[in-house]
Amino acid sequence: MDERYEKLADVLVQFSTTVRPGDRVLVDASAVPDEIVLAVMRSVKRSGGHPFVNISRARVKREFLLHGTEDDFALMSDWEAAKFRSMQCCILLRGMNNSFEMGDV
């Protein structure tokens, strides 16, 4: 693994969020290499926290947004809010593979 991922993960976990033993930490990733997600998970574990990982893909999200109903969006919103409320820390990792993926949504 690239050492830079581990350094970045430690900065995010120890400085940006200050993960403490027992903390539930949401690692929410989109369009980033698996290696950074794994590095953050390991850093959370070293800090005594409990990582919970959510990985989303733009193509799949686009399909949901194009064909979802108002009820779907409301339920998704409630579910997302509950997910975030149940965590002590959230680390959002974002990248972009295709900047036009959501252009028609």
Side-chain angles (χ1 to χ4, degrees):
M1 180 179 299
D2 188 327
E3 184 179 304
R4 293 172 293 180
Y5 289 136
E6 295 193 15
K7 287 180 180 179
L8 175 57
D10 287 342
V11 168
L12 292 171
V13 171
Q14 297 168 10
F15 178 73
S16 297
T17 57
T18 316
V19 173
R20 295 184 174 90
D23 281 353
R24 291 182 306 274
V25 181
L26 175 62
V27 181
D28 192 270
S30 178
V32 297
D34 290 346
E35 289 79 11
I36 187 61
V37 178
L38 295 171
V40 170
M41 290 173 61
R42 291 172 183 152
S43 186
V44 169
K45 291 301 280 183
R46 283 194 302 275
S47 295
H50 306 285
F52 293 83
V53 177
N54 182 63
I55 297 177
S56 62
R57 300 287 180 236
R59 188 172 179 189
V60 175
K61 185 173 186 174
R62 177 181 179 276
E63 190 73 15
F64 175 77
L65 293 173
L66 284 174
H67 302 289
T69 66
E70 289 297 319
D71 287 341
D72 293 337
F73 300 145
L75 288 168
M76 179 62 77
S77 178
D78 292 344
W79 179 75
E80 290 279 345
K83 178 175 63 174
F84 280 94
R85 277 195 302 271
S86 68
M87 301 291 151
Q88 278 78 43
C89 301
C90 296
I91 297 174
L92 308 178
L93 304 171
R94 297 290 182 260
M96 182 70 66
N97 289 329
N98 177 356
S99 59
F100 298 104
E101 186 83 48
M102 298 287 192
D104 62 341
V105 175

